[in-house]
Amino acid sequence: MKHLSSENTTQTPEHKETELEGQVERITYMNEENGYTVAKVNVPGYPEPVTIVGNLLALAPGEVLEMKGDWETHPKFGRQFKILGHRTVRPSSVKGIRKYLGSGLIRGIGKEMAARIVEKFGEETLKVIDERIDELATVNGIGRKRVKMIKNAWADQKEIRAIMIFLQEHGVGLSHATKIFKRYGQRSIAVVTQNPYRLATDIPGIGFQTADRIAKQLGFEKNSPVRAEAGTLYVLNRLAEEGNVFYPYDSLMEKCREILKVDRETVIRGFGAIALDGKIVVEDLNQLMDEFEPNRKAVYLKRFYISETGIVRHLSRLISSKKNVRSMDVHKALEWVQEKIELRLAQSQIDAVKMAVSDKVLVITGGPGTGKTTIIHAVIRIYSAVGAKIFLAAPTGRASKRMAEATGKAACTIHRLLEYSWQKGGFQRNEDRPIEGDVILLDEASMIDTSLMYHLLKAVPSGATLIMVGDSNQLPSVGPGNVLRDVIKSGSVPVIVLNEVFRQARESLIIMNAHRINRGLVPEVKGSGVDPGDFYFIEQGDPDQALNIIMELVLNRIPNRFNMDPMEDIQVLSPMHKGLLGTANLNIKLQDALNPSKTEIVRGDRRFRLNDKVMQIRNNYEKEVFNGDIGLIKTIDEEKQEMVVTYDDKPVLYDYLELDEIVLAYAISVHKSQGSEYQAIVLPILPQHYLLLQRNLIYTAVTRGKRLVIIVGSKRALTMGVKNEGTMKRYTYLEERLRSS
């Protein structure tokens, strides 16, 4: 293209096409899934930057684009240039090169460093980096270590761009290219071409459907054996994400057939291959389950079969083994501990303490205000007095921190208790190297899924006492299974159910309404009088108005009336991710209102700013941060392309390529709030949420609030949710296995 300062237009009777060339000023929006981008481009001859829109590959500020397209007028955003074709070229002017290098494209080069490099080498800068990169060491502030970093980043960028072009040609979005390159390196294109279905199992965030789309573009047949095998594993993993430990054979075959759009014979062949490889276990269940299929075949991913059967085996081992702690006079112990804690225990609490002292395994379950913490206190005091070694643990960092604060004793996550090591590959505590303790006390046991419970029980020594404390009426674990509820229903382990709400707790509307919800009754809202109450319902059925109310509550009303900090004390919860009142939109609105920081990084359609509240959304054992952990962004380093997030004062370093592991956390899902407690929660409940409105979800949300709960929504939707005690069925055979063990 020759025209830099004017348009070059070719016209046919049906179509007018324009050619432009310019340098990218900034990227306004980018969808990482499909590459759709909105950007501002400086085009010579135009007084203002031109808005361009279209699917653009790995675009970075400073790059020069040769573009073909059409002018169009958007009803909201005005005149813009729609890209039909483009080519990226390197900038040639000193100013253009400086902007290109300073865009954050290359790790190790920020704006200041880019200015120094370009001042030294001028128009030769990019040639120097390509051919004589060691000369960068002559620039002030660049040592050998920095030169090596820039060299590697420059080479990676070239390779990633080649992969992006390849993937784009095969219908894949930009967000996956860096992950693929990080996993396979220069073999990326070869691996993808040979077996694209590997992506679904090897790379987090790339599922079967994405891999299947690539495979189709590469010419893989719909009924190919490798597709049937990968597809069946995909369906089983997706069903596990819905909470199922196994799935009935006939239903699985039908789901696979529907999703893969192939005949049953093709599915059966793929199923047979993965069964032969030992990736799945098929079991004929001998006892009829409710709504189960006549052939009674259950299909497990191998790891879940090992976990479920292992829970039964290890619980049986614990129950049948002798206690490490010497026997004691329970009545004397009770009298002594009540004097020590200066509190007379209620009968239900006395029963719980007695069983905790005498039994090997015990479950204590009850809602808020029923005295679980007092029981834990008493049990710890008694066992400590006889010299027992006690471990306190919970599934999440926040839950373990709450446990420590409530008891005054050290508590840790289950992962830390089991000494998970990324380097050594897995939990270091197991049957061969058990936990060196006499009493293991678990809190928030309803959150423990099948796999984690198995690994925990493996590591509990036979002589130890295991006490599980939790609320079985909360949402089940995010991971597969419904362990606490199955253990309780099986009758294989002693269970204490706490129903009495104590006098002090009865003064809280949060606690009283939580118990009303649990009984299927709509919450009561009393007049607040002079003192502000702790539970409010604001009726508003219109989503737009409800959103305005939530923003006003978080920004002004709650901070002013209750003296709470919007960032630290207030947590917005939502039943959904999508929609006007879903977590995604709420986070955008709250981020703009609460954090106007100009220091930010844009990744696709997501923005992270300095001091943002963020949440880890998958377990990262290497960093020791886990799904649901909430922290604050403390540093953003554009030059090194790194970000530091602090979780409870623990700094965690993220490479820019790892930012898909975190999301904004001004608003989070109710599921993600499990195990946490907040000074105030704000919860929208509208008819749009009806698919997810269930009693245990509303109950779980309400019990997250410590000092204040505000529900915004329609009374009809709230009533509908509270009355709906049905939960999505989870296929698990743990209850039956325990009962028959």
Side-chain angles (χ1 to χ4, degrees):
M1 292 182 191
K2 304 295 184 186
H3 292 262
L4 301 184
S5 58
S6 62
E7 300 176 6
N8 182 17
T9 302
T10 56
Q11 192 165 351
T12 67
E14 293 128 4
H15 184 67
K16 183 176 78 174
E17 190 177 271
T18 301
E19 298 178 357
L20 293 179
E21 182 175 318
Q23 187 169 37
V24 180
E25 174 67 26
R26 68 180 183 276
I27 296 165
T28 308
Y29 170 82
M30 180 185 288
N31 184 312
E32 293 184 354
E33 283 300 314
N34 57 26
Y36 180 79
T37 302
V38 181
K40 296 288 187 181
V41 177
N42 289 320
V43 178
Y46 286 76
E48 298 291 333
V50 171
T51 299
I52 64 168
V53 297
N55 292 327
L56 301 163
L57 290 171
L59 196 63
E63 290 184 317
V64 174
L65 293 181
E66 293 178 345
M67 303 165 282
K68 290 182 180 180
D70 292 332
W71 288 104
E72 61 180 21
T73 301
H74 190 280
K76 184 176 180 181
F77 301 110
R79 196 168 187 243
Q80 52 191 25
F81 190 71
K82 185 178 180 181
I83 303 289
L84 299 174
H86 76 285
R87 187 170 75 90
T88 303
V89 295
R90 287 180 175 181
S92 56
S93 70
V94 168
K95 183 181 177 183
I97 293 169
R98 188 189 303 118
K99 185 168 187 63
Y100 178 66
L101 286 182
S103 67
L105 183 74
I106 306 300
R107 182 194 300 274
I109 302 179
K111 288 179 182 176
E112 289 184 20
M113 189 60 70
R116 276 188 244 157
I117 293 171
V118 174
E119 186 179 358
K120 175 83 173 176
F121 299 110
E123 293 179 358
E124 290 283 298
T125 297
L126 298 181
K127 188 175 181 181
V128 168
I129 296 174
D130 264 335
E131 300 172 6
R132 311 188 305 274
I133 197 164
D134 289 339
E135 290 183 22
L136 291 183
T138 62
V139 177
N140 185 32
I142 298 184
R144 289 188 177 184
K145 190 175 179 182
R146 179 70 66 89
V147 170
K148 187 177 180 182
M149 181 194 297
I150 295 170
K151 187 176 183 178
N152 291 338
W154 190 254
D156 286 353
Q157 189 62 33
K158 285 183 180 178
E159 190 70 27
I160 289 168
R161 186 175 292 276
I163 293 166
M164 285 179 171
I165 292 168
F166 169 79
L167 291 175
Q168 184 78 0
E169 288 171 352
H170 294 91
V172 181
L174 304 179
S175 61
H176 303 314
T178 49
K179 294 180 190 176
I180 293 170
F181 178 71
K182 193 176 179 183
R183 176 70 172 82
Y184 304 125
Q186 293 185 352
R187 299 184 301 116
S188 298
I189 293 176
V191 168
V192 171
T193 305
Q194 186 178 359
N195 183 4
Y197 294 104
R198 279 186 61 180
L199 301 176
T201 52
D202 288 356
I203 299 176
I206 297 184
F208 171 81
Q209 289 174 320
T210 300
D212 198 34
R213 195 161 60 243
I214 301 171
K216 185 179 179 182
Q217 291 282 337
L218 290 169
F220 280 75
E221 294 293 331
K222 185 186 282 190
N223 60 352
S224 67
V226 68
R227 182 174 185 267
E229 293 167 31
T232 304
L233 289 172
Y234 159 71
V235 173
L236 275 170
N237 276 293
R238 201 172 83 171
L239 291 166
E241 288 171 5
E242 294 172 5
N244 297 292
V245 182
F246 73 86
Y247 211 69
Y249 174 82
D250 283 338
S251 296
L252 175 65
M253 291 296 101
E254 188 58 26
K255 276 193 177 291
C256 290
R257 194 186 62 75
E258 287 175 8
I259 290 170
L260 300 179
K261 293 181 171 54
V262 294
D263 57 55
R264 189 180 173 95
E265 288 305 311
T266 300
V267 174
I268 290 171
R269 283 196 297 273
F271 180 88
I274 59 175
L276 201 61
D277 287 345
K279 294 175 181 176
I280 59 174
V281 175
V282 183
E283 186 178 33
D284 285 324
L285 300 180
N286 296 316
Q287 298 180 18
L288 184 66
M289 293 178 66
D290 291 341
E291 301 175 18
F292 203 57
E293 297 174 345
N295 66 22
R296 303 182 191 175
K297 280 184 184 176
V299 183
Y300 289 80
L301 287 165
K302 186 178 180 180
R303 64 185 183 275
F304 295 135
Y305 180 79
I306 290 170
S307 295
E308 188 174 87
T309 55
I311 289 172
V312 177
R313 188 171 68 256
H314 288 292
L315 265 181
S316 299
R317 169 179 60 83
L318 285 174
I319 293 167
S320 61
S321 301
K322 187 179 177 183
K323 282 173 79 83
N324 279 347
V325 181
R326 63 176 174 82
S327 60
M328 63 186 86
D329 188 317
V330 177
H331 297 288
K332 283 185 179 179
L334 273 164
E335 286 302 316
W336 174 83
V337 80
Q338 287 179 100
E339 284 181 22
K340 289 294 182 184
I341 65 176
E342 299 179 344
L343 184 68
R344 300 308 296 178
L345 300 176
Q347 188 56 52
S348 59
Q349 293 174 312
I350 288 171
D351 293 340
V353 173
K354 279 182 178 178
M355 294 174 74
V357 170
S358 59
D359 285 297
K360 276 294 263 80
V361 180
L362 175 67
V363 171
I364 301 171
T365 183
T370 56
K372 295 192 296 292
T373 303
T374 302
I375 293 167
I376 293 171
H377 267 296
V379 170
I380 291 171
R381 292 295 286 266
I382 291 171
Y383 275 118
S384 296
V386 297
K389 190 171 183 182
I390 306 166
F391 285 101
L392 308 182
T396 66
R398 289 204 159 212
S400 64
K401 189 178 180 183
R402 281 178 58 202
M403 194 180 191
E405 289 169 351
T407 61
K409 301 290 182 183
C412 64
T413 63
I414 295 172
H415 285 85
R416 189 171 290 277
L417 179 66
L418 299 179
E419 297 177 15
Y420 188 91
S421 170
W422 173 260
Q423 294 82 4
K424 295 177 183 177
F427 296 107
Q428 301 308 295
R429 293 287 180 179
N430 48 41
E431 310 101 309
D432 301 324
R433 188 172 171 261
I435 300 162
E436 296 168 3
D438 302 308
V439 179
I440 296 161
L441 212 160
L442 304 174
D443 199 11
E444 295 288 355
S446 64
M447 295 179 66
I448 306 175
D449 64 29
T450 301
S451 295
L452 187 57
M453 183 61 83
Y454 166 61
H455 285 291
L456 173 68
L457 292 176
K458 272 204 303 185
V460 177
S462 296
T465 297
L466 177 66
I467 301 168
M468 294 177 276
V469 182
D471 186 346
S472 60
N473 292 309
Q474 286 190 25
L475 288 168
S477 57
V478 175
N482 204 340
V483 177
L484 182 64
R485 193 170 290 187
D486 283 351
V487 169
I488 291 170
K489 288 169 71 177
S490 72
S492 61
V493 170
V495 177
I496 286 287
V497 180
L498 305 171
N499 291 315
E500 182 183 353
V501 180
F502 292 99
R503 183 182 59 80
Q504 189 175 358
R506 286 200 299 269
E507 295 173 5
S508 165
L509 263 182
I510 294 174
I511 291 175
M512 296 310 295
N513 277 329
H515 286 274
R516 283 183 64 83
I517 291 166
N518 201 28
R519 297 196 304 272
L521 302 174
V522 177
E524 286 184 353
V525 182
K526 298 175 183 176
S528 59
V530 178
D531 297 323
D534 65 357
F535 192 101
Y536 295 87
F537 176 76
I538 300 174
E539 185 156 14
Q540 179 52 256
D542 179 76
D544 289 294
Q545 291 302 317
L547 176 60
N548 292 336
I549 291 169
I550 289 169
M551 297 298 294
E552 177 64 17
L553 285 168
V554 174
L555 297 174
N556 299 311
R557 288 166 64 176
I558 297 175
N560 293 340
R561 188 168 189 192
F562 296 91
N563 193 29
M564 291 188 191
D565 184 277
M567 292 281 281
E568 292 185 11
D569 300 326
I570 304 170
Q571 184 62 59
V572 178
L573 304 180
S574 177
M576 312 181 64
H577 174 68
K578 296 179 179 179
L580 194 68
L581 294 170
T583 56
N585 186 58
L586 285 166
N587 270 315
I588 292 170
K589 299 292 185 186
L590 289 164
Q591 180 192 44
D592 286 341
L594 292 171
N595 186 13
S597 173
K598 299 298 182 187
T599 305
E600 68 176 19
I601 171 175
V602 180
R603 274 295 175 268
D605 55 352
R606 300 182 301 151
R607 293 175 186 271
F608 294 112
R609 295 174 182 163
L610 197 63
N611 300 318
D612 264 340
K613 183 158 72 167
V614 294
M615 179 173 63
Q616 177 80 14
I617 57 169
R618 68 174 68 112
N619 290 339
N620 188 319
Y621 299 106
E622 187 176 9
K623 297 182 188 297
E624 293 189 351
V625 285
F626 302 101
N627 192 350
D629 286 353
I630 290 179
L632 292 173
I633 297 176
K634 284 300 181 185
T635 65
I636 294 176
D637 190 325
E638 287 187 25
E639 197 167 279
K640 292 183 179 178
Q641 297 190 7
E642 293 173 344
M643 192 163 82
V644 173
V645 178
T646 57
Y647 297 92
D648 293 326
D649 299 323
K650 173 193 168 188
V652 175
L653 183 69
Y654 289 86
D655 185 280
Y656 277 11
L657 299 182
E658 299 172 314
L659 296 186
D660 60 337
E661 292 190 14
I662 60 173
V663 295
L664 294 175
Y666 299 98
I668 64 174
S669 69
V670 178
H671 263 102
K672 295 288 188 186
S673 74
Q674 283 179 273
S676 299
E677 194 174 61
Y678 311 96
Q679 294 297 314
I681 69 122
V682 179
L683 174 70
I685 295 182
L686 278 87
Q688 289 90 331
H689 302 141
Y690 76 96
L691 287 173
L692 296 167
L693 289 181
Q694 296 168 348
R695 183 183 301 171
N696 60 358
L697 182 137
I698 298 171
Y699 173 79
T700 300
V702 167
T703 53
R704 299 309 92 202
K706 192 173 181 182
R707 286 175 50 202
L708 179 66
V709 170
I710 302 178
I711 297 175
V712 180
S714 82
K715 207 164 263 183
R716 178 173 165 270
L718 178 60
T719 303
M720 186 168 59
V722 169
K723 298 294 182 188
N724 179 16
E725 64 176 328
T727 57
M728 189 178 291
K729 181 175 179 59
R730 290 186 168 201
Y731 283 104
T732 158
Y733 204 56
L734 181 61
E735 179 190 339
E736 289 78 10
R737 291 186 195 279
L738 286 169
R739 191 179 290 132
S740 59
S741 65

